[in-house]
Amino acid sequence: MQCVTSTAFGPAELLHRLRARTTGTAVSPVTHIERVPARAGRTAPWPAWTDPAVRAALVAQGIAAPWEHQATAATLAWEGAHVVLATGTASGKSLAYQLPALNALATDPKATVLYLSPTKALAADQLRGLVRLGVDGVRPATYDGDTPREEREWIRQHSRFVLTNPDMLHHSLLPGHSRWGVFLRRLRYVVIDECHTYRGVFGSHVAHVLRRLRRAAARYGASPTFVLASATSGDPAGSASRLTGLPVTAVTDDASPRGAVTFALWEPPLLPVFDGPEDVAVEEAAPIRRSALRETADLLTDAVVAGTRTLAFVRSRRGAEVVASLARQSLNEAVPGLGDRVAAYRAGYLREDRRAIERALLSGELLGLASTNALELGVDLAGLDAVLICGYPGTRASLWQQAGRAGRAGGEALAVLVARDDPLDTYLVHHPEAVFGRPVEATVLDPANPYVLGPQLCCAASEAPLTDADLALFGDASVEIVQRLAAEGVLRRRPSGWYWTHRGRPEVDLRGTGGAPVAVVEAATGRLLGTVDPGSSHVMLHPGAVYLHQGVSYVVDDLDLEDAIALVHQEEPDWTTHARDVTNLSVVSVRSYVDAGPVGLFLGEVDVTNQVVSYQRRRIGSGEVIDTRPLDLPARELRTVAVWFTVSPRALTAAGVEPSEFPGALHAAEHAGIGLLPLIATCDRWDIGGLSTANHADTEAPTVFVYDGHPGGAGFAERAYGAAAEWLHATREAIASCVCDAGCPSCVQSPKCGNGNNPLSKEDAVKVLDIVLAALPPG
């Protein structure tokens, strides 16, 4: 098969070709075009301390001299300062940590280096780069869940540059630190790649895993230097310090060259709504936008036909499968066999499937790929010309990270953000200054979260008795937590410290997924198709659910939560499934509040109970509800942190909101508030939940709650509370500016609503937010 390595179309011409498909529509789908100019690079001399062998290896790979930011960060690390390099995609961050790390290995035959990445794909990519350099004596190796057991002992004994991830560090290396004693004693550098991804509960867990690593290294007499690499982010030094517990110096002046980028904001067109005779459009009906998945699939199809190597980022696993399937179908209709040049890529695939897809993309055998953010981070996809982003990825940092996958050879690139029918996406494509005119967000994590700190202290105690000096390492809150754990009998105090009292190790889930992944197995053959995290299993794998894998549709026969397995059979139904749930919430305590007359703004702890109770079957294409079927799944309980506001009934009625409309007004404001919160905090819509009620038992007033979807909270509610005026103003504007009459997915309807988006009152939601914004102080 011939591999296409370049495109005949520049970004501007390719965008013109894509827009040509929509010729004749009343409104252009492109709401804004941002042209990011090319930038020349600034080099620096090789640092004087660079080992000749290391320099020769780098020069042999075409690196004549480092960029200024690489040399600055590398020198800080070589001098023993903990450093974070926060620069743009494809700015060469790898060299900044490879240079001091490889120098240490070259000049000290006993030194070792530990590299941590959030994904296996990124670690594998870094390993390929180290092998190509070929510096003598480094012996790099990946140590992760895919590493055969027979290789692990060799890696412990012989590898001097171990590439792993926080999960493996937590589950294997630290519990078995005595077997890694020689490696830890000689540890010079710890590299933390893509550190901006460690946010929320996952980031809070990783912060303590790193403290446990520092503790273990100190036990063997080592005090390694930490070198962190991050996408451009707000307050990188502060975020890196919270993550490591160490003072960190930031290097942020990007001196690398950059090709020009054409960045388009694309809003799928409205479709006519039919009700009755097929040739009669009902203009009064609520407008419906063309699906962002369908739009992205068509754009991917057109790009592949044009010979453009294109990566489409899709927010969900199911969405990536749908986009790839639709593109393959369209391509095969145009040119039989061309659909084979497109594939899907997502977490949950088996190792051999992931590696085969990566190789095909790197070789050019694949022209188009629909991927979740599993390929967002750092993997060197040389030769890509365009990136399609199906739905805002949640943060500006992630948006630019994904867009940066194209044009990595320094050439011009095209990036297109395709808006979903969602309040935040709609707001952004009509307010480009919110995308291009603002700095990226700071990473939010909370190491003091008791639901994180307690289990992590248990892990530390199981590795070695906890001393008073250790507690200082884990933060001020650790003293109270340890005493509570001792009172519960989990830890026992002895003169030498606190000891773990159980025989086995503590079971702690770093990623907050709720335990072991659920295996998806084809019942007829016993073939393992993939896995789904337990937190999503009730929604994705309930009995009767439609599950997609590599474009093939399966229906779930049985979900065994105890054994973490779902049995499926292959079937191509003409319907999709949508789970529905019920939520109850009670206030536990109030941390802080603002008394603003008729409005109250609160931050505090809440208990949330959620249960998936049924699912709808909907026709593919039309979305028509066929039926609703009950489910018998256990309820889930969560103690977390929430932000909420109350409004007095008198203020609502004075603003023209009748008591009968309270539920719809508050429900609509809640949906839009959840949709717009990612504009303020580094969260995803699916990281948070909400509840609204016309008269909550604990507040005794009409109330809207927005809560973190993780035990103990993840820092998102605190960010919303601190920036409430900005957050709610954007929410109000998103609702008021929407072209619909009564509410739609672009403003107040939610794809995750457990009540089927009923009741909702768009007009009254604006009135609610007007009352709140008029009462709250601007700050």
Side-chain angles (χ1 to χ4, degrees):
M1 180 179 291
Q2 182 180 4
C3 294
V4 179
T5 58
S6 64
T7 175
F9 303 103
E13 186 175 354
L14 177 58
L15 180 59
H16 176 74
R17 289 173 62 89
L18 297 179
R19 295 174 73 176
R21 186 174 51 81
T22 63
T23 300
T25 57
V27 180
S28 170
V30 178
T31 62
H32 178 79
I33 295 176
E34 187 82 7
R35 303 197 188 278
V36 182
R39 178 184 65 206
R42 305 190 310 273
T43 60
W46 289 103
W49 47 265
T50 306
D51 182 82
V54 173
R55 176 177 175 175
L58 293 168
V59 170
Q61 292 298 313
I63 305 173
W67 306 118
E68 287 181 0
H69 63 275
Q70 295 171 326
T72 299
T75 297
L76 284 168
W78 182 254
E79 293 173 348
H82 308 293
V83 61
V84 57
L85 178 60
T87 53
T89 307
S91 60
K93 290 186 284 288
S94 297
L95 179 63
Y97 53 74
Q98 287 176 353
L99 194 55
L102 293 176
N103 266 269
L105 300 182
T107 56
D108 179 357
K110 293 184 177 180
T112 61
V113 174
L114 182 66
Y115 168 95
L116 300 175
S117 75
T119 66
K120 296 176 183 177
L122 178 54
D125 186 72
Q126 289 292 311
L127 177 63
R128 285 191 290 267
L130 290 169
V131 170
R132 283 196 300 268
L133 285 174
V135 178
D136 288 341
V138 174
R139 299 189 292 273
T142 54
Y143 186 84
D144 57 33
D146 292 339
T147 305
R149 296 205 170 271
E150 57 271 18
E151 294 181 15
R152 296 186 180 187
E153 184 60 32
W154 183 93
I155 293 171
R156 278 196 295 267
Q157 293 183 4
H158 302 291
S159 177
R160 301 175 63 212
F161 199 127
V162 173
L163 301 99
T164 186
N165 51 63
D167 308 81
M168 204 68 178
L169 182 61
H170 163 67
H171 288 294
S172 179
L173 196 151
L174 289 174
H177 61 82
S178 60
R179 298 194 302 274
W180 287 87
V182 174
F183 183 90
L184 291 170
R185 182 180 303 114
R186 299 170 174 177
L187 187 59
R188 284 282 301 276
Y189 288 100
V190 176
V191 177
I192 306 174
D193 207 354
E194 305 291 358
C195 65
H196 62 282
T197 62
Y198 300 122
R199 61 175 180 83
V201 168
F202 178 43
S204 302
H205 273 295
V206 172
H208 289 298
V209 172
L210 295 177
R211 285 158 175 78
R212 287 163 49 202
L213 173 62
R214 290 172 51 203
R215 176 175 176 253
R219 181 182 179 89
Y220 292 96
S223 180
T225 298
F226 282 73
V227 186
L228 301 94
S230 170
T232 304
S233 64
D235 189 22
S239 299
S241 293
R242 282 191 298 275
L243 184 65
T244 61
L246 295 163
V248 179
T249 302
V251 176
T252 58
D253 185 12
D254 192 340
S256 64
R258 181 183 62 197
V261 179
T262 300
F263 205 132
L265 303 183
W266 185 292
E267 184 175 40
L270 291 169
L271 299 176
V273 179
F274 293 91
D275 188 9
E278 291 186 356
D279 58 344
V280 179
V282 182
E283 296 182 357
E284 293 79 8
I288 299 175
R289 290 204 177 274
R290 198 165 189 267
S291 160
L293 292 175
R294 170 67 73 174
E295 196 82 346
T296 302
D298 285 353
L299 293 174
L300 180 60
T301 299
D302 292 343
V304 170
V305 169
T308 304
R309 292 179 63 182
T310 304
L311 177 61
F313 282 108
V314 189
R315 291 169 58 85
S316 69
R317 297 180 180 187
R318 181 190 181 99
E321 297 279 6
V322 168
V323 167
S325 179
L326 292 173
R328 282 195 295 259
Q329 180 179 342
S330 298
L331 288 166
N332 283 328
E333 290 174 357
V335 180
L338 189 57
D340 295 339
R341 308 294 296 276
V342 174
Y345 184 100
R346 61 173 174 81
Y349 281 1
L350 302 181
R351 177 195 183 191
E352 52 269 26
D353 294 336
R354 294 196 311 269
R355 298 293 181 262
I357 294 170
E358 290 167 20
R359 287 193 299 270
L361 183 64
L362 290 167
S363 69
E365 181 181 345
L366 286 176
L367 268 179
L369 190 68
S371 173
T372 60
N373 64 357
L375 277 183
E376 173 184 325
L377 304 174
V379 178
D380 189 6
L381 306 178
L384 290 179
D385 304 293
V387 166
L388 307 173
I389 304 170
C390 182
Y392 183 62
T395 66
R396 287 180 292 278
S398 188
L399 179 74
W400 286 106
Q401 187 83 352
Q402 293 183 0
R405 291 303 103 201
R408 290 179 64 91
E412 294 190 13
L414 173 66
V416 181
L417 171 62
V418 181
R420 292 166 303 150
D421 219 356
D422 171 273
L424 179 56
D425 286 38
T426 302
Y427 178 86
L428 290 174
V429 295
H430 291 286
H431 295 81
E433 70 280 0
V435 178
F436 303 108
R438 300 180 60 182
V440 296
E441 308 85 349
T443 304
V444 176
L445 65 149
D446 179 18
N449 179 340
Y451 287 84
V452 172
L453 180 53
Q456 286 292 334
L457 288 171
C458 290
C459 291
S462 72
E463 291 158 7
L466 278 169
T467 65
D468 291 336
D470 294 333
L471 296 185
L473 181 68
F474 290 97
D476 295 338
S478 61
V479 175
E480 180 181 348
I481 298 293
V482 160
Q483 291 173 348
R484 190 196 71 201
L485 292 170
E488 294 172 355
V490 177
L491 299 181
R492 180 175 294 121
R493 181 65 190 261
R494 290 286 183 266
S496 55
W498 283 271
Y499 284 73
W500 173 244
T501 60
H502 299 277
R503 294 177 64 88
R505 294 200 303 264
E507 294 185 5
V508 178
D509 176 18
L510 295 190
R511 297 178 185 263
T513 55
V518 177
V520 183
V521 176
E522 188 173 26
T525 64
R527 181 167 64 103
L528 176 65
L529 299 177
T531 60
V532 171
D533 66 86
S536 303
S537 62
H538 289 209
V539 172
M540 294 181 62
L541 296 176
H542 61 75
V546 176
Y547 174 81
L548 289 178
H549 178 76
Q550 281 286 33
V552 179
S553 177
Y554 298 83
V555 175
V556 179
D557 298 316
D558 180 59
L559 172 61
D560 187 332
L561 292 171
E562 185 174 345
D563 290 335
I565 186 171
L567 298 177
V568 303
H569 70 272
Q570 188 174 337
E571 184 180 338
E572 295 288 341
D574 62 351
W575 38 264
T576 60
T577 52
H578 301 263
R580 304 187 68 179
D581 60 2
V582 295
T583 301
N584 293 302
L585 181 150
S586 61
V587 176
V588 177
S589 64
V590 174
R591 289 185 186 176
S592 180
Y593 71 93
V594 175
D595 185 349
V599 172
L601 179 69
F602 301 84
L603 177 73
E605 287 79 25
V606 297
D607 280 336
V608 181
T609 302
N610 175 269
Q611 184 175 20
V612 175
V613 295
S614 63
Y615 70 97
Q616 289 181 338
R617 296 192 304 162
R618 301 180 189 173
R619 295 279 183 205
I620 295 176
S622 69
E624 172 196 355
V625 176
I626 301 173
D627 57 19
T628 300
R629 300 189 173 189
L631 290 169
D632 182 21
L633 292 170
R636 289 172 160 169
E637 297 181 353
L638 172 72
R639 176 162 291 187
T640 186
V641 179
V643 57
W644 66 93
F645 64 80
T646 61
V647 186
S648 75
R650 183 176 299 178
L652 289 172
T653 54
V657 183
E658 297 299 323
S660 62
E661 295 297 326
F662 285 5
L666 298 166
H667 194 198
E670 172 215 329
H671 280 184
I674 290 173
L676 269 293
L677 184 54
L679 187 67
I680 306 300
T682 52
C683 66
D684 183 274
R685 181 178 200 140
W686 303 92
D687 288 328
I688 50 182
L691 180 74
S692 57
T693 175
N695 185 26
H696 192 271
D698 295 327
T699 65
E700 299 181 341
T703 310
V704 172
F705 294 90
V706 175
Y707 58 85
D708 293 352
H710 301 277
F716 308 135
E718 285 95 331
R719 184 75 183 92
Y721 178 77
E726 181 186 0
W727 165 43
L728 296 176
H729 176 76
T731 301
R732 189 260 181 214
E733 189 170 345
I735 301 174
S737 63
C738 187
V739 298
C740 73
D741 293 326
C744 68
S746 293
C747 57
V748 298
Q749 292 182 3
S750 170
K752 53 183 284 192
C753 180
N755 296 315
N757 287 296
N758 185 49
L760 291 174
S761 175
K762 173 187 176 181
E763 180 181 356
D764 290 330
V766 174
K767 295 175 181 178
V768 168
L769 292 168
D770 281 340
I771 297 169
V772 175
L773 290 168
L776 287 180

